[in-house]
Amino acid sequence: MKSLIVVALATLFAGAAWAEEAKSPAKPDAEKGATIAGQVCAACHTSDGSRGIATNPILQGQQADYLVKQLAEFKSGKRDNPIMKPMAAQLSDDDMRNVAAFYASKTAKPGAAKNKDTVELGRKIWRGGIAEKQVPACAGCHGPAGAGVPSQYPRLAGQHQEYVQPELVLFRSGKRANSPQMTAIAARMSDAEIAAVADYIEGLK
């Protein structure tokens, strides 16, 4: 009788462990992600997510958790984008994790600021914010070198100015509504301040 109880308990615990393992998502597969990138993403972002069309974001080296979050929000409509919504709609949760792992495994290529007249203003905003407008330093969330924080804040170092500037304007207008923090911050920034910090970001290394 005692041995039957032991066997029953062992079976119960084994079943619980199996159920927990079954609920856990599969480990991301960067090779599968590379295939998805080549088939779905390459036309706009290049096959490896590098410095392609400047109005599209660089995905190379981006935080994997952040990419998964954005793809899920494109798919659900929380982040409204008529081009990305149908692209994300065809991806499963595993597809998103795989393609994000692929892009995150790459080393982002450096960029450079283009406007020497606004570099100092951009640097001040990045490092110290705009105190009189209660705009916090960008580096406080995205890191001094713009490396970002997984799932919370994206890597920005080297990102195209032509992409960052319009996104900040979208946050300011409320048309991009998937980050309350950025909506509040951008709402207090002028066009000149947004342009300056976006250009500075492209030169961050």
Short mmCIF file of all heavy atoms in Angstrom, two decimals, residues 55-123:
data_model
loop_
_atom_site.label_atom_id
_atom_site.label_comp_id
_atom_site.label_asym_id
_atom_site.label_seq_id
_atom_site.Cartn_x
_atom_site.Cartn_y
_atom_site.Cartn_z
N THR A 55 13.60 55.67 -43.27
CA THR A 55 12.33 55.91 -42.58
C THR A 55 11.82 54.66 -41.87
O THR A 55 10.83 54.73 -41.13
CB THR A 55 11.26 56.41 -43.57
OG1 THR A 55 11.21 55.52 -44.69
CG2 THR A 55 11.58 57.82 -44.05
N ASN A 56 12.48 53.53 -42.08
CA ASN A 56 12.13 52.29 -41.39
C ASN A 56 13.17 52.02 -40.29
O ASN A 56 14.36 52.29 -40.49
CB ASN A 56 12.11 51.10 -42.35
CG ASN A 56 11.03 51.24 -43.40
OD1 ASN A 56 9.99 51.84 -43.15
ND2 ASN A 56 11.28 50.70 -44.58
N PRO A 57 12.74 51.48 -39.15
CA PRO A 57 13.70 51.29 -38.05
C PRO A 57 14.75 50.22 -38.32
O PRO A 57 14.48 49.23 -39.02
CB PRO A 57 12.80 50.87 -36.88
CG PRO A 57 11.62 50.24 -37.53
CD PRO A 57 11.40 51.03 -38.79
N ILE A 58 15.92 50.43 -37.77
CA ILE A 58 16.97 49.41 -37.76
C ILE A 58 16.58 48.38 -36.70
O ILE A 58 16.32 48.74 -35.56
CB ILE A 58 18.34 50.03 -37.43
CG1 ILE A 58 18.73 51.06 -38.50
CG2 ILE A 58 19.42 48.96 -37.27
CD1 ILE A 58 19.84 51.99 -38.07
N LEU A 59 16.53 47.12 -37.08
CA LEU A 59 16.16 46.06 -36.14
C LEU A 59 17.38 45.31 -35.62
O LEU A 59 17.30 44.64 -34.58
CB LEU A 59 15.20 45.07 -36.81
CG LEU A 59 13.91 45.69 -37.36
CD1 LEU A 59 13.03 44.62 -37.97
CD2 LEU A 59 13.15 46.44 -36.25
N GLN A 60 18.47 45.41 -36.32
CA GLN A 60 19.72 44.76 -35.93
C GLN A 60 20.13 45.16 -34.52
O GLN A 60 20.24 46.34 -34.21
CB GLN A 60 20.81 45.18 -36.91
CG GLN A 60 21.86 44.16 -37.20
CD GLN A 60 22.76 44.62 -38.34
OE1 GLN A 60 23.16 45.79 -38.36
NE2 GLN A 60 23.08 43.75 -39.26
N GLY A 61 20.34 44.19 -33.64
CA GLY A 61 20.80 44.49 -32.28
C GLY A 61 19.71 44.98 -31.34
O GLY A 61 20.00 45.29 -30.19
N GLN A 62 18.47 45.03 -31.81
CA GLN A 62 17.38 45.51 -30.94
C GLN A 62 17.06 44.48 -29.86
O GLN A 62 17.27 43.28 -30.04
CB GLN A 62 16.13 45.80 -31.77
CG GLN A 62 14.98 46.44 -31.01
CD GLN A 62 15.37 47.72 -30.30
OE1 GLN A 62 15.79 47.68 -29.14
NE2 GLN A 62 15.26 48.85 -31.00
N GLN A 63 16.58 44.95 -28.71
CA GLN A 63 16.22 44.06 -27.61
C GLN A 63 15.12 43.09 -28.08
O GLN A 63 14.08 43.53 -28.59
CB GLN A 63 15.70 44.87 -26.42
CG GLN A 63 16.66 45.92 -25.89
CD GLN A 63 17.78 45.31 -25.07
OE1 GLN A 63 17.80 44.11 -24.82
NE2 GLN A 63 18.71 46.12 -24.64
N ALA A 64 15.33 41.79 -27.89
CA ALA A 64 14.37 40.79 -28.37
C ALA A 64 13.00 40.95 -27.72
O ALA A 64 11.97 40.91 -28.39
CB ALA A 64 14.91 39.39 -28.12
N ASP A 65 12.98 41.15 -26.40
CA ASP A 65 11.70 41.30 -25.70
C ASP A 65 10.93 42.51 -26.21
O ASP A 65 9.70 42.48 -26.31
CB ASP A 65 11.92 41.44 -24.19
CG ASP A 65 12.37 40.14 -23.54
OD1 ASP A 65 12.28 39.09 -24.21
OD2 ASP A 65 12.81 40.18 -22.38
N TYR A 66 11.65 43.57 -26.51
CA TYR A 66 11.00 44.77 -27.01
C TYR A 66 10.39 44.52 -28.39
O TYR A 66 9.27 44.94 -28.68
CB TYR A 66 11.99 45.93 -27.07
CG TYR A 66 11.38 47.20 -27.61
CD1 TYR A 66 10.60 48.01 -26.80
CD2 TYR A 66 11.57 47.59 -28.94
CE1 TYR A 66 10.00 49.18 -27.30
CE2 TYR A 66 10.99 48.73 -29.45
CZ TYR A 66 10.21 49.52 -28.63
OH TYR A 66 9.62 50.66 -29.12
N LEU A 67 11.14 43.82 -29.25
CA LEU A 67 10.61 43.51 -30.59
C LEU A 67 9.35 42.65 -30.51
O LEU A 67 8.39 42.89 -31.24
CB LEU A 67 11.68 42.79 -31.42
CG LEU A 67 12.82 43.65 -31.95
CD1 LEU A 67 13.84 42.78 -32.67
CD2 LEU A 67 12.31 44.74 -32.88
N VAL A 68 9.36 41.66 -29.62
CA VAL A 68 8.18 40.81 -29.45
C VAL A 68 6.98 41.65 -29.02
O VAL A 68 5.87 41.51 -29.54
CB VAL A 68 8.45 39.68 -28.43
CG1 VAL A 68 7.16 38.95 -28.09
CG2 VAL A 68 9.48 38.70 -28.98
N LYS A 69 7.21 42.54 -28.07
CA LYS A 69 6.13 43.41 -27.58
C LYS A 69 5.56 44.27 -28.71
O LYS A 69 4.34 44.39 -28.86
CB LYS A 69 6.65 44.31 -26.45
CG LYS A 69 5.63 45.29 -25.88
CD LYS A 69 6.25 46.10 -24.74
CE LYS A 69 5.23 47.05 -24.10
NZ LYS A 69 4.86 48.16 -24.99
N GLN A 70 6.42 44.85 -29.52
CA GLN A 70 5.95 45.71 -30.60
C GLN A 70 5.19 44.91 -31.65
O GLN A 70 4.15 45.35 -32.14
CB GLN A 70 7.13 46.46 -31.24
CG GLN A 70 7.86 47.40 -30.30
CD GLN A 70 6.95 48.36 -29.58
OE1 GLN A 70 6.21 49.12 -30.21
NE2 GLN A 70 6.99 48.35 -28.25
N LEU A 71 5.70 43.73 -32.02
CA LEU A 71 5.01 42.91 -33.00
C LEU A 71 3.62 42.51 -32.50
O LEU A 71 2.64 42.54 -33.25
CB LEU A 71 5.85 41.66 -33.32
CG LEU A 71 7.07 41.91 -34.20
CD1 LEU A 71 7.96 40.67 -34.23
CD2 LEU A 71 6.65 42.29 -35.62
N ALA A 72 3.54 42.14 -31.23
CA ALA A 72 2.24 41.77 -30.64
C ALA A 72 1.29 42.96 -30.66
O ALA A 72 0.07 42.80 -30.91
CB ALA A 72 2.43 41.26 -29.22
N GLU A 73 1.81 44.15 -30.42
CA GLU A 73 0.95 45.34 -30.39
C GLU A 73 0.57 45.80 -31.78
O GLU A 73 -0.52 46.35 -31.98
CB GLU A 73 1.64 46.44 -29.57
CG GLU A 73 1.68 46.06 -28.09
CD GLU A 73 2.37 47.07 -27.20
OE1 GLU A 73 2.93 48.07 -27.72
OE2 GLU A 73 2.34 46.87 -25.97
N PHE A 74 1.43 45.57 -32.78
CA PHE A 74 1.02 45.80 -34.17
C PHE A 74 -0.13 44.86 -34.53
O PHE A 74 -1.11 45.25 -35.15
CB PHE A 74 2.19 45.55 -35.13
CG PHE A 74 3.18 46.67 -35.21
CD1 PHE A 74 4.54 46.42 -35.07
CD2 PHE A 74 2.78 47.98 -35.47
CE1 PHE A 74 5.47 47.45 -35.18
CE2 PHE A 74 3.71 49.02 -35.58
CZ PHE A 74 5.06 48.75 -35.43
N LYS A 75 0.02 43.58 -34.13
CA LYS A 75 -0.98 42.56 -34.46
C LYS A 75 -2.32 42.87 -33.82
O LYS A 75 -3.38 42.73 -34.45
CB LYS A 75 -0.46 41.19 -34.02
CG LYS A 75 -1.34 40.03 -34.44
CD LYS A 75 -0.68 38.70 -34.08
CE LYS A 75 -1.51 37.52 -34.55
NZ LYS A 75 -0.81 36.23 -34.29
N SER A 76 -2.30 43.31 -32.57
CA SER A 76 -3.55 43.60 -31.85
C SER A 76 -4.15 44.94 -32.23
O SER A 76 -5.33 45.20 -31.97
CB SER A 76 -3.30 43.58 -30.34
OG SER A 76 -2.53 44.72 -29.94
N GLY A 77 -3.35 45.82 -32.83
CA GLY A 77 -3.82 47.16 -33.16
C GLY A 77 -3.52 48.19 -32.09
O GLY A 77 -3.80 49.37 -32.26
N LYS A 78 -2.92 47.75 -30.97
CA LYS A 78 -2.58 48.71 -29.92
C LYS A 78 -1.59 49.73 -30.44
O LYS A 78 -1.64 50.91 -30.08
CB LYS A 78 -2.00 47.97 -28.70
CG LYS A 78 -1.69 48.88 -27.53
CD LYS A 78 -1.21 48.10 -26.31
CE LYS A 78 -0.94 49.05 -25.14
NZ LYS A 78 -0.49 48.30 -23.94
N ARG A 79 -0.66 49.28 -31.28
CA ARG A 79 0.22 50.20 -32.00
C ARG A 79 -0.30 50.23 -33.43
O ARG A 79 -0.19 49.26 -34.17
CB ARG A 79 1.68 49.75 -31.94
CG ARG A 79 2.62 50.71 -32.67
CD ARG A 79 4.08 50.39 -32.47
NE ARG A 79 4.91 51.28 -33.27
CZ ARG A 79 6.23 51.21 -33.36
NH1 ARG A 79 6.89 50.29 -32.67
NH2 ARG A 79 6.91 52.06 -34.12
N ASP A 80 -0.87 51.33 -33.82
CA ASP A 80 -1.57 51.44 -35.09
C ASP A 80 -0.61 51.75 -36.23
O ASP A 80 0.02 52.81 -36.24
CB ASP A 80 -2.65 52.53 -34.98
CG ASP A 80 -3.50 52.62 -36.23
OD1 ASP A 80 -3.59 51.62 -36.95
OD2 ASP A 80 -4.08 53.69 -36.48
N ASN A 81 -0.49 50.80 -37.16
CA ASN A 81 0.35 51.02 -38.34
C ASN A 81 -0.21 50.17 -39.47
O ASN A 81 -0.22 48.94 -39.39
CB ASN A 81 1.80 50.64 -38.04
CG ASN A 81 2.74 50.95 -39.20
OD1 ASN A 81 2.64 50.36 -40.26
ND2 ASN A 81 3.64 51.89 -38.98
N PRO A 82 -0.70 50.81 -40.55
CA PRO A 82 -1.37 50.06 -41.61
C PRO A 82 -0.46 49.11 -42.38
O PRO A 82 -0.94 48.17 -43.02
CB PRO A 82 -1.92 51.16 -42.53
CG PRO A 82 -1.07 52.36 -42.24
CD PRO A 82 -0.71 52.26 -40.81
N ILE A 83 0.85 49.35 -42.33
CA ILE A 83 1.79 48.45 -43.02
C ILE A 83 2.16 47.28 -42.11
O ILE A 83 2.15 46.12 -42.54
CB ILE A 83 3.07 49.22 -43.43
CG1 ILE A 83 2.72 50.30 -44.47
CG2 ILE A 83 4.11 48.25 -44.01
CD1 ILE A 83 3.85 51.22 -44.80
N MET A 84 2.46 47.57 -40.86
CA MET A 84 2.93 46.52 -39.96
C MET A 84 1.81 45.61 -39.46
O MET A 84 2.06 44.45 -39.15
CB MET A 84 3.66 47.14 -38.76
CG MET A 84 5.08 47.57 -39.05
SD MET A 84 6.13 46.21 -39.68
CE MET A 84 5.95 44.99 -38.38
N LYS A 85 0.59 46.10 -39.39
CA LYS A 85 -0.49 45.25 -38.86
C LYS A 85 -0.68 43.98 -39.69
O LYS A 85 -0.71 42.88 -39.13
CB LYS A 85 -1.80 46.03 -38.76
CG LYS A 85 -2.90 45.19 -38.09
CD LYS A 85 -4.11 46.01 -37.70
CE LYS A 85 -5.10 45.13 -36.93
NZ LYS A 85 -6.25 45.90 -36.45
N PRO A 86 -0.80 44.06 -41.02
CA PRO A 86 -0.95 42.81 -41.78
C PRO A 86 0.30 41.94 -41.76
O PRO A 86 0.22 40.72 -41.86
CB PRO A 86 -1.27 43.29 -43.20
CG PRO A 86 -0.83 44.72 -43.25
CD PRO A 86 -0.97 45.25 -41.86
N MET A 87 1.47 42.58 -41.63
CA MET A 87 2.71 41.79 -41.53
C MET A 87 2.72 40.98 -40.23
O MET A 87 3.03 39.78 -40.23
CB MET A 87 3.93 42.72 -41.56
CG MET A 87 4.13 43.47 -42.85
SD MET A 87 4.54 42.36 -44.21
CE MET A 87 3.55 43.06 -45.51
N ALA A 88 2.39 41.64 -39.13
CA ALA A 88 2.40 40.96 -37.83
C ALA A 88 1.26 39.96 -37.71
O ALA A 88 1.39 38.96 -37.00
CB ALA A 88 2.31 42.00 -36.71
N ALA A 89 0.16 40.21 -38.42
CA ALA A 89 -1.01 39.34 -38.32
C ALA A 89 -0.71 37.91 -38.76
O ALA A 89 -1.35 36.96 -38.29
CB ALA A 89 -2.17 39.90 -39.15
N GLN A 90 0.27 37.75 -39.64
CA GLN A 90 0.58 36.41 -40.14
C GLN A 90 1.59 35.67 -39.27
O GLN A 90 1.93 34.52 -39.53
CB GLN A 90 1.11 36.50 -41.58
CG GLN A 90 2.37 37.35 -41.75
CD GLN A 90 2.71 37.56 -43.21
OE1 GLN A 90 3.01 36.62 -43.93
NE2 GLN A 90 2.67 38.80 -43.66
N LEU A 91 2.04 36.32 -38.18
CA LEU A 91 3.04 35.71 -37.31
C LEU A 91 2.40 35.13 -36.05
O LEU A 91 1.59 35.79 -35.40
CB LEU A 91 4.09 36.75 -36.89
CG LEU A 91 4.87 37.44 -38.02
CD1 LEU A 91 5.82 38.47 -37.43
CD2 LEU A 91 5.62 36.44 -38.88
N SER A 92 2.79 33.92 -35.70
CA SER A 92 2.37 33.33 -34.42
C SER A 92 3.24 33.89 -33.31
O SER A 92 4.25 34.57 -33.57
CB SER A 92 2.53 31.81 -34.47
OG SER A 92 3.91 31.46 -34.54
N ASP A 93 2.90 33.58 -32.07
CA ASP A 93 3.73 34.02 -30.95
C ASP A 93 5.15 33.47 -31.08
O ASP A 93 6.13 34.17 -30.82
CB ASP A 93 3.12 33.57 -29.62
CG ASP A 93 1.84 34.32 -29.28
OD1 ASP A 93 1.53 35.32 -29.97
OD2 ASP A 93 1.14 33.91 -28.34
N ASP A 94 5.27 32.20 -31.47
CA ASP A 94 6.59 31.60 -31.65
C ASP A 94 7.35 32.29 -32.79
O ASP A 94 8.56 32.52 -32.69
CB ASP A 94 6.48 30.10 -31.95
CG ASP A 94 6.21 29.28 -30.69
OD1 ASP A 94 6.43 29.81 -29.58
OD2 ASP A 94 5.80 28.12 -30.83
N ASP A 95 6.65 32.61 -33.88
CA ASP A 95 7.29 33.32 -34.99
C ASP A 95 7.88 34.64 -34.51
O ASP A 95 9.00 35.01 -34.88
CB ASP A 95 6.27 33.62 -36.10
CG ASP A 95 5.82 32.39 -36.86
OD1 ASP A 95 6.55 31.38 -36.85
OD2 ASP A 95 4.73 32.45 -37.45
N MET A 96 7.12 35.37 -33.70
CA MET A 96 7.58 36.66 -33.18
C MET A 96 8.84 36.49 -32.33
O MET A 96 9.80 37.25 -32.47
CB MET A 96 6.48 37.33 -32.36
CG MET A 96 5.29 37.79 -33.18
SD MET A 96 4.04 38.57 -32.12
CE MET A 96 2.67 38.68 -33.26
N ARG A 97 8.82 35.49 -31.46
CA ARG A 97 9.99 35.26 -30.62
C ARG A 97 11.20 34.85 -31.46
O ARG A 97 12.33 35.27 -31.18
CB ARG A 97 9.68 34.20 -29.56
CG ARG A 97 8.79 34.70 -28.43
CD ARG A 97 8.69 33.70 -27.30
NE ARG A 97 7.86 32.56 -27.66
CZ ARG A 97 6.56 32.49 -27.44
NH1 ARG A 97 5.93 33.49 -26.84
NH2 ARG A 97 5.86 31.43 -27.80
N ASN A 98 10.95 34.06 -32.49
CA ASN A 98 12.06 33.59 -33.33
C ASN A 98 12.69 34.72 -34.14
O ASN A 98 13.91 34.85 -34.19
CB ASN A 98 11.57 32.49 -34.27
CG ASN A 98 11.21 31.21 -33.55
OD1 ASN A 98 11.64 30.98 -32.42
ND2 ASN A 98 10.40 30.37 -34.18
N VAL A 99 11.84 35.53 -34.76
CA VAL A 99 12.39 36.62 -35.57
C VAL A 99 13.06 37.67 -34.69
O VAL A 99 14.09 38.25 -35.06
CB VAL A 99 11.31 37.24 -36.49
CG1 VAL A 99 10.37 38.16 -35.73
CG2 VAL A 99 11.94 37.97 -37.65
N ALA A 100 12.51 37.89 -33.50
CA ALA A 100 13.13 38.84 -32.56
C ALA A 100 14.50 38.33 -32.10
O ALA A 100 15.45 39.10 -31.99
CB ALA A 100 12.22 39.05 -31.35
N ALA A 101 14.60 37.02 -31.85
CA ALA A 101 15.88 36.43 -31.45
C ALA A 101 16.90 36.58 -32.56
O ALA A 101 18.09 36.83 -32.31
CB ALA A 101 15.69 34.96 -31.09
N PHE A 102 16.47 36.42 -33.81
CA PHE A 102 17.37 36.58 -34.94
C PHE A 102 17.94 37.99 -35.01
O PHE A 102 19.15 38.19 -35.09
CB PHE A 102 16.65 36.24 -36.25
CG PHE A 102 17.39 36.66 -37.48
CD1 PHE A 102 18.57 36.01 -37.85
CD2 PHE A 102 16.94 37.71 -38.26
CE1 PHE A 102 19.28 36.41 -38.98
CE2 PHE A 102 17.64 38.11 -39.38
CZ PHE A 102 18.81 37.45 -39.76
N TYR A 103 17.06 38.99 -34.96
CA TYR A 103 17.55 40.37 -35.05
C TYR A 103 18.41 40.75 -33.84
O TYR A 103 19.41 41.46 -33.98
CB TYR A 103 16.37 41.34 -35.19
CG TYR A 103 15.75 41.33 -36.56
CD1 TYR A 103 14.37 41.15 -36.71
CD2 TYR A 103 16.51 41.52 -37.69
CE1 TYR A 103 13.78 41.14 -37.97
CE2 TYR A 103 15.93 41.51 -38.95
CZ TYR A 103 14.57 41.32 -39.09
OH TYR A 103 14.00 41.32 -40.34
N ALA A 104 18.01 40.28 -32.66
CA ALA A 104 18.77 40.60 -31.45
C ALA A 104 20.17 39.99 -31.46
O ALA A 104 21.08 40.49 -30.80
CB ALA A 104 18.01 40.13 -30.21
N SER A 105 20.34 38.91 -32.22
CA SER A 105 21.65 38.23 -32.27
C SER A 105 22.66 38.98 -33.13
O SER A 105 23.85 38.67 -33.10
CB SER A 105 21.48 36.81 -32.81
OG SER A 105 21.19 36.82 -34.21
N LYS A 106 22.20 39.95 -33.89
CA LYS A 106 23.07 40.71 -34.77
C LYS A 106 23.68 41.91 -34.05
O LYS A 106 23.11 42.43 -33.10
CB LYS A 106 22.29 41.21 -35.99
CG LYS A 106 21.64 40.11 -36.82
CD LYS A 106 22.69 39.20 -37.43
CE LYS A 106 22.08 38.08 -38.22
NZ LYS A 106 23.09 37.15 -38.74
N THR A 107 24.83 42.34 -34.51
CA THR A 107 25.49 43.53 -33.96
C THR A 107 25.12 44.73 -34.82
O THR A 107 25.38 44.72 -36.03
CB THR A 107 27.02 43.37 -33.92
OG1 THR A 107 27.34 42.24 -33.11
CG2 THR A 107 27.68 44.61 -33.35
N ALA A 108 24.50 45.72 -34.21
CA ALA A 108 24.06 46.89 -34.96
C ALA A 108 25.25 47.69 -35.49
O ALA A 108 26.25 47.86 -34.80
CB ALA A 108 23.19 47.77 -34.08
N LYS A 109 25.11 48.18 -36.71
CA LYS A 109 26.16 49.01 -37.31
C LYS A 109 25.99 50.45 -36.83
O LYS A 109 24.88 50.93 -36.67
CB LYS A 109 26.06 48.94 -38.83
CG LYS A 109 26.29 47.53 -39.37
CD LYS A 109 26.01 47.47 -40.87
CE LYS A 109 26.15 46.04 -41.37
NZ LYS A 109 25.79 45.92 -42.81
N PRO A 110 27.10 51.16 -36.60
CA PRO A 110 26.99 52.54 -36.10
C PRO A 110 26.47 53.51 -37.14
O PRO A 110 26.60 53.29 -38.34
CB PRO A 110 28.44 52.87 -35.71
CG PRO A 110 29.28 51.99 -36.59
CD PRO A 110 28.49 50.71 -36.75
N GLY A 111 25.87 54.59 -36.64
CA GLY A 111 25.43 55.67 -37.51
C GLY A 111 26.18 56.93 -37.15
O GLY A 111 27.18 56.89 -36.42
N ALA A 112 25.71 58.06 -37.62
CA ALA A 112 26.38 59.33 -37.31
C ALA A 112 25.36 60.46 -37.34
O ALA A 112 24.45 60.46 -38.18
CB ALA A 112 27.48 59.60 -38.33
N ALA A 113 25.51 61.41 -36.42
CA ALA A 113 24.66 62.61 -36.43
C ALA A 113 24.98 63.41 -37.69
O ALA A 113 26.12 63.42 -38.16
CB ALA A 113 24.92 63.43 -35.19
N LYS A 114 23.98 64.09 -38.23
CA LYS A 114 24.18 64.80 -39.49
C LYS A 114 24.23 66.32 -39.32
O LYS A 114 24.80 67.01 -40.15
CB LYS A 114 23.04 64.46 -40.46
CG LYS A 114 22.89 62.96 -40.76
CD LYS A 114 21.73 62.76 -41.75
CE LYS A 114 21.46 61.28 -41.99
NZ LYS A 114 20.74 60.67 -40.84
N ASN A 115 23.59 66.82 -38.27
CA ASN A 115 23.46 68.27 -38.11
C ASN A 115 24.37 68.77 -36.98
O ASN A 115 24.02 68.68 -35.80
CB ASN A 115 22.00 68.64 -37.83
CG ASN A 115 21.75 70.13 -37.94
OD1 ASN A 115 22.67 70.94 -37.84
ND2 ASN A 115 20.50 70.51 -38.11
N LYS A 116 25.51 69.30 -37.33
CA LYS A 116 26.48 69.74 -36.33
C LYS A 116 25.95 70.92 -35.51
O LYS A 116 26.38 71.15 -34.38
CB LYS A 116 27.79 70.14 -37.00
CG LYS A 116 27.68 71.32 -37.93
CD LYS A 116 29.00 71.65 -38.62
CE LYS A 116 28.84 72.87 -39.52
NZ LYS A 116 30.02 73.15 -40.32
N ASP A 117 24.97 71.65 -36.06
CA ASP A 117 24.44 72.82 -35.35
C ASP A 117 23.52 72.45 -34.19
O ASP A 117 23.25 73.28 -33.31
CB ASP A 117 23.66 73.72 -36.32
CG ASP A 117 24.55 74.31 -37.42
OD1 ASP A 117 25.75 74.54 -37.13
OD2 ASP A 117 24.07 74.51 -38.54
N THR A 118 23.02 71.21 -34.18
CA THR A 118 22.08 70.83 -33.12
C THR A 118 22.61 69.72 -32.21
O THR A 118 21.90 69.28 -31.31
CB THR A 118 20.74 70.35 -33.73
OG1 THR A 118 20.95 69.14 -34.48
CG2 THR A 118 20.13 71.41 -34.62
N VAL A 119 23.85 69.29 -32.46
CA VAL A 119 24.41 68.17 -31.68
C VAL A 119 24.45 68.49 -30.19
O VAL A 119 24.11 67.65 -29.35
CB VAL A 119 25.81 67.78 -32.19
CG1 VAL A 119 26.53 66.88 -31.18
CG2 VAL A 119 25.72 67.06 -33.52
N GLU A 120 24.83 69.71 -29.85
CA GLU A 120 24.94 70.06 -28.43
C GLU A 120 23.57 70.05 -27.74
O GLU A 120 23.43 69.57 -26.62
CB GLU A 120 25.61 71.43 -28.26
CG GLU A 120 25.92 71.81 -26.82
CD GLU A 120 26.75 70.76 -26.07
OE1 GLU A 120 27.62 70.13 -26.70
OE2 GLU A 120 26.51 70.57 -24.86
N LEU A 121 22.56 70.58 -28.42
CA LEU A 121 21.21 70.55 -27.86
C LEU A 121 20.74 69.10 -27.69
O LEU A 121 20.18 68.73 -26.66
CB LEU A 121 20.24 71.31 -28.76
CG LEU A 121 18.75 71.25 -28.35
CD1 LEU A 121 18.54 71.79 -26.94
CD2 LEU A 121 17.88 72.00 -29.37
N GLY A 122 20.98 68.28 -28.70
CA GLY A 122 20.60 66.88 -28.62
C GLY A 122 21.29 66.17 -27.48
O GLY A 122 20.68 65.38 -26.75
N ARG A 123 22.58 66.47 -27.29
CA ARG A 123 23.35 65.86 -26.20
C ARG A 123 22.78 66.26 -24.84
O ARG A 123 22.64 65.43 -23.94
CB ARG A 123 24.82 66.28 -26.30
CG ARG A 123 25.69 65.66 -25.18
CD ARG A 123 27.11 66.21 -25.20
NE ARG A 123 27.83 65.77 -26.39
CZ ARG A 123 28.25 66.54 -27.38
NH1 ARG A 123 27.99 67.86 -27.34
NH2 ARG A 123 28.89 66.04 -28.40
#
